[in-house]
Amino acid sequence: MVFVEVSPGIFINFGKNEAPNKANGWAISNTGFIIGDESVLVIDAGPSYQYASEMIEYIKKVTNSQINYLVITHHHPDHSFGISKFLEIDTKVIISNSELKNYLKYGNKLLLQMKKKVGDDWFENTSINEFNNNKQKFPFSIDLGSRKIDINLYTDGHSGGDLTVTDKNSHIVFGGDLVFNERAPTIPHANILNWLRYLDEISNFNWSGLVPGHGPIIKKKNKLDFTKKWIQHIHYIARDAVKKGLSPAEVLELGVPEFLSSTKLAKETWNRDVPVLMKHYENDN
Amino acid sequence: MYFIRGFLCLISFMLFFINLANAGPFSDFKASAILSEELASSPTQKRDTPNSESLKQAINLLDPEKSEIWPELSRLFLGELAKVNFESEIRVIMQDHVEEPHEVPLIVKLPDHLHNFKEFILLIENNPIQQVIKLIPYRAIESIGMNVRLEDDSPVRAAVKDKDGLWHIGSKMVFVSSPGGCSSPSCDVTTEICDPGEIGKLILKNYDREAGAGRLKIKIIHPMDTGLVSSPAGEIIPEYFINSIFLDDIDGPIAVMETYAALSTDPVILIDLAEKGQSIRAKAKDSHGLEFFSFKNSSIM
């Protein structure tokens, strides 16, 4: 675990930009923390109890401020399964209602599948815990001590309720998985039309740096174009295929469209997400 | 008119039950239940990404002469003295590497000279439930698609019997990154949340293809329990699946199918007809004897 101080008091551990495997233990997404005079706010808990424990140890080395807040941007396991460790040290967990529901509903099934795929060892002590998010209303602000943080909710975009974190001092925004960089965006719970709208909104903010859920930090707005292009196109392909009554097998046989194929994890993501989206659109019909 | 159609249906269902009576050796899943326990306790080492080594392996595994399972499979499902011909012209279209083994979409496209086939069987060699479907057509069919369960890496074989009784086989090797499509639960094991739909709801759609050709798609909401998955209390969930589907239209029967739990939950079947069907109807039956219809007045089918 290597945290980089991208701006005074803001640290990020960039996840491995690869598929989950036995070597990375599902630590494939970015996590970070912001230090104020009194409190530390953590953005995403990582994939496991073990990951969260290491993270907490690291934070205690660099500051005496208390780890009072944890923001879970959405329920996907690479971002949320470290929650159990933070609950132990009485950190207040901030998560949208829909994503708390999904975490509790799908958590155990996902944990089982993950253990099977990358090995039980990575998930020792990791559990899915009930906790109270106090039905938090969004947006709202937190003062970490000489440091104000805004937390915004984006409903039914990439997931049921994605949270973003904005540091008012540095104008750095943590976009969660609404934002991907140099990697194919994943869409298992997405409403693509809303997501596109949210990406436009986010790109128009006056940020100095945008931290994606996956990939390196974004400094220029045009870096958001690829995510937009990808989700627009996969949406179009899946909807058209459902309209024609195609089998997902026939769509996947054509491969990833060339203009999208050069990004990391393009093929894996395309092959996984096209059938999921098609099913989604079939049920809508 | 109805009398004649009713008579044809009667014959086709009689044929169907004769087939069921022959299904003894492969409808007994007890041995496989033991296999599933082994799989649960010692998961096999898996490959993560395709590489030249796994591709070489794929070619080897597809070779029926090197397969330990194929001779037995052929004898059981295609018959003791079946004459078999392997053909690359039969295209089994599916992904090379599969992440979600509970629901793997595939479609088999047949060459022109096999459109008037007599019988179609889909087999998955390394599945505890090896036969997925047997289809007997009443008119020309160009391709057949479905979603299947894959327990582990396996050759998938599409067997098509022509009018002279010769079997033509198309093959495809598929790798599975997390095994257990037949033996692991596809819903949350601790909370038992499976989002069950309305069991038996049957959705039938008829699509245009080029030059008057048609595609029909049947989706049936059904758990398709394999009898190999344990409940959280450790008890085996008994097998429960759609075991027959019958299709007709104003010109008479289209096809009769014998189906097994190697089809995914909420199975989908695609059938490409040379001529688009008119007023298509579907009827399905499950292993508890419940009947499901795509239309309201079921007394005439």
Side-chain angles (χ1 to χ4, degrees):
Chain A
M1 193 174 284
V2 185
F3 278 93
V4 182
E5 190 166 14
V6 293
S7 165
I10 301 187
F11 291 77
I12 298 170
N13 177 41
F14 290 97
K16 293 266 186 206
N17 215 348
E18 54 193 31
N21 59 39
K22 286 195 165 73
N24 62 36
W26 225 279
I28 54 165
S29 57
N30 300 334
T31 61
F33 59 92
I34 304 174
I35 302 171
D37 288 346
E38 285 133 35
S39 299
V40 176
L41 178 140
V42 177
I43 298 105
D44 282 341
S48 61
Y49 183 94
Q50 188 188 327
Y51 182 102
S53 305
E54 279 180 44
M55 191 172 181
I56 289 166
E57 251 169 64
Y58 187 95
I59 296 171
K60 284 182 174 163
K61 264 186 231 160
V62 294
T63 177
N64 291 323
S65 299
Q66 292 297 305
I67 306 172
N68 285 334
Y69 306 102
L70 166 67
V71 173
I72 298 294
T73 56
H74 63 292
H75 84 276
H76 291 164
D78 45 331
H79 301 262
S80 70
F81 279 13
I83 286 178
S84 45
K85 177 65 196 178
F86 284 95
L87 291 175
E88 265 181 27
I89 61 163
D90 288 329
T91 303
K92 185 184 172 204
V93 184
I94 299 160
I95 184 170
S96 67
N97 295 332
S98 74
E99 291 309 278
L100 176 56
K101 219 168 91 191
N102 286 334
Y103 163 79
L104 293 173
K105 183 171 172 182
Y106 300 112
N108 283 309
K109 176 192 171 187
L110 288 166
L111 186 56
L112 219 81
Q113 289 173 346
M114 291 161 74
K115 283 180 176 172
K116 213 156 144 191
K117 187 158 181 189
V118 307
D120 289 28
D121 293 353
W122 287 106
F123 301 103
E124 208 177 314
N125 295 326
T126 306
S127 55
I128 306 303
N129 301 71
E130 299 239 9
F131 63 92
N132 195 344
N133 71 339
N134 299 315
K135 296 236 157 39
Q136 181 69 55
K137 297 260 189 297
F138 300 94
F140 75 103
S141 301
I142 299 177
D143 194 347
L144 303 179
S146 317
R147 186 151 216 163
K148 234 179 114 196
I149 304 292
D150 284 351
I151 296 172
N152 281 299
L153 169 68
Y154 292 87
T155 308
D156 288 332
H158 153 269
S159 75
D162 296 273
L163 297 182
T164 64
V165 173
T166 305
D167 173 49
K168 304 294 269 183
N169 288 9
S170 64
H171 297 287
I172 285 177
V173 175
F174 286 79
D177 278 4
L178 284 165
V179 182
F180 285 78
N181 191 18
E182 295 177 16
R183 181 191 191 279
T186 57
I187 48 95
H189 304 94
N191 177 319
I192 284 176
L193 297 180
N194 286 344
W195 189 0
L196 283 168
R197 197 155 53 77
Y198 297 153
L199 276 170
D200 281 335
E201 265 178 46
I202 290 169
S203 82
N204 287 331
F205 291 152
N206 202 10
W207 37 261
S208 64
L210 181 56
V211 185
H214 300 261
I217 197 161
I218 291 173
K219 299 280 187 189
K220 282 186 182 149
K221 288 186 196 305
N222 64 9
K223 279 280 190 182
L224 288 169
D225 292 348
F226 184 81
T227 298
K228 281 196 233 170
K229 248 190 336 198
W230 178 286
I231 65 178
Q232 229 161 7
H233 199 70
I234 200 169
H235 164 75
Y236 165 76
I237 294 274
R239 212 187 39 183
D240 188 56
V242 168
K243 220 184 283 168
K244 289 179 179 147
L246 298 185
S247 160
E250 288 169 300
V251 184
L252 297 181
E253 198 199 10
L254 304 173
V256 187
E258 210 183 326
F259 72 105
L260 297 174
S261 63
S262 60
T263 193
K264 276 210 169 149
L265 301 173
K267 195 176 171 210
E268 292 92 326
T269 310
W270 185 264
N271 287 357
R272 188 181 52 233
D273 286 355
V274 166
V276 172
L277 260 194
M278 283 181 66
K279 213 169 171 179
H280 201 61
Y281 295 159
E282 246 165 40
N283 293 341
D284 290 349
N285 277 351
Chain B
M1 169 78 190
Y2 281 148
F3 172 75
I4 293 169
R5 196 195 294 168
F7 184 64
L8 278 171
C9 289
L10 190 68
I11 288 181
S12 59
F13 269 95
M14 276 168 66
L15 277 173
F16 169 73
F17 281 115
I18 291 164
N19 283 331
L20 262 195
N22 287 335
F26 39 91
S27 60
D28 179 2
F29 300 135
K30 284 203 181 81
S32 312
I34 298 161
L35 172 75
S36 81
E37 276 163 31
E38 278 173 18
L39 279 170
S41 55
S42 58
T44 30
Q45 288 281 321
K46 301 310 298 175
R47 290 156 296 275
D48 284 316
T49 44
N51 53 42
S52 58
E53 199 51 47
S54 66
L55 289 176
K56 215 185 298 164
Q57 199 184 356
I59 293 162
N60 276 336
L61 288 169
L62 272 181
D63 186 343
E65 283 182 15
K66 289 182 182 148
S67 165
E68 289 169 14
I69 295 166
W70 173 252
E72 175 70 1
L73 206 63
S74 172
R75 201 177 58 75
L76 261 179
F77 295 101
L78 309 184
E80 200 72 54
L81 302 167
K83 282 190 225 152
V84 165
N85 195 15
F86 283 83
E87 273 175 45
S88 58
E89 273 186 302
I90 298 173
R91 293 170 58 223
V92 181
I93 299 170
M94 57 198 302
Q95 290 176 73
D96 301 320
H97 283 76
V98 163
E99 277 190 45
E100 167 49 289
H102 296 96
E103 184 164 5
V104 184
L106 69 89
I107 187 161
V108 180
K109 299 204 168 173
L110 303 175
D112 291 353
H113 69 91
L114 286 175
H115 287 174
N116 286 303
F117 67 92
K118 295 295 165 205
E119 195 173 327
F120 170 92
I121 294 180
L122 192 91
L123 299 169
I124 299 172
E125 278 197 14
N126 296 336
N127 259 10
I129 305 166
Q130 293 168 314
Q131 180 167 235
V132 181
I133 193 168
K134 178 198 271 189
L135 180 148
I136 295 167
Y138 288 80
R139 59 184 83 163
I141 289 177
E142 298 175 355
S143 27
I144 299 169
M146 66 203 78
N147 49 354
V148 302
R149 302 176 187 279
L150 283 175
E151 182 61 25
D152 208 333
D153 304 343
S154 180
V156 176
R157 316 271 189 195
V160 183
K161 189 160 82 174
D162 70 17
K163 60 182 189 321
D164 304 318
L166 177 66
W167 286 97
H168 303 257
I169 317 286
S171 302
K172 167 87 182 177
M173 183 64 211
V174 181
F175 293 101
V176 174
S177 61
S178 50
C182 296
S183 67
S184 75
S186 50
C187 58
D188 191 317
V189 281
T190 54
T191 59
E192 288 185 274
I193 296 169
C194 311
D195 294 327
E198 194 185 325
I199 287 191
K201 188 178 167 197
L202 202 153
I203 304 150
L204 181 66
K205 287 194 170 160
N206 196 7
Y207 301 91
D208 284 311
R209 290 187 303 132
E210 68 288 345
R215 162 171 292 187
L216 54 106
K217 179 167 131 186
I218 315 133
K219 179 174 179 171
I220 308 169
I221 307 301
H222 203 281
M224 299 299 279
D225 289 319
T226 58
L228 304 173
V229 177
S230 297
S231 71
E235 285 161 8
I236 295 272
I237 299 165
E239 60 179 58
Y240 177 43
F241 55 95
I242 297 282
N243 59 16
S244 79
I245 303 171
F246 178 75
L247 289 166
D248 75 358
D249 74 354
I250 52 170
D251 294 324
I254 296 171
V256 57
M257 287 164 257
E258 198 178 293
T259 55
Y260 296 89
L263 283 173
S264 306
T265 302
D266 301 343
V268 175
I269 312 273
L270 297 175
I271 294 177
D272 283 346
L273 297 172
E275 260 180 76
K276 193 185 177 191
Q278 302 293 323
S279 312
I280 295 171
R281 308 185 306 171
K283 171 184 172 175
K285 197 164 75 63
D286 74 14
S287 53
H288 289 180
L290 298 177
E291 291 189 325
F292 314 112
F293 301 87
S294 67
F295 54 97
K296 283 215 176 84
N297 186 1
S298 57
S299 62
I300 53 163
M301 193 165 189

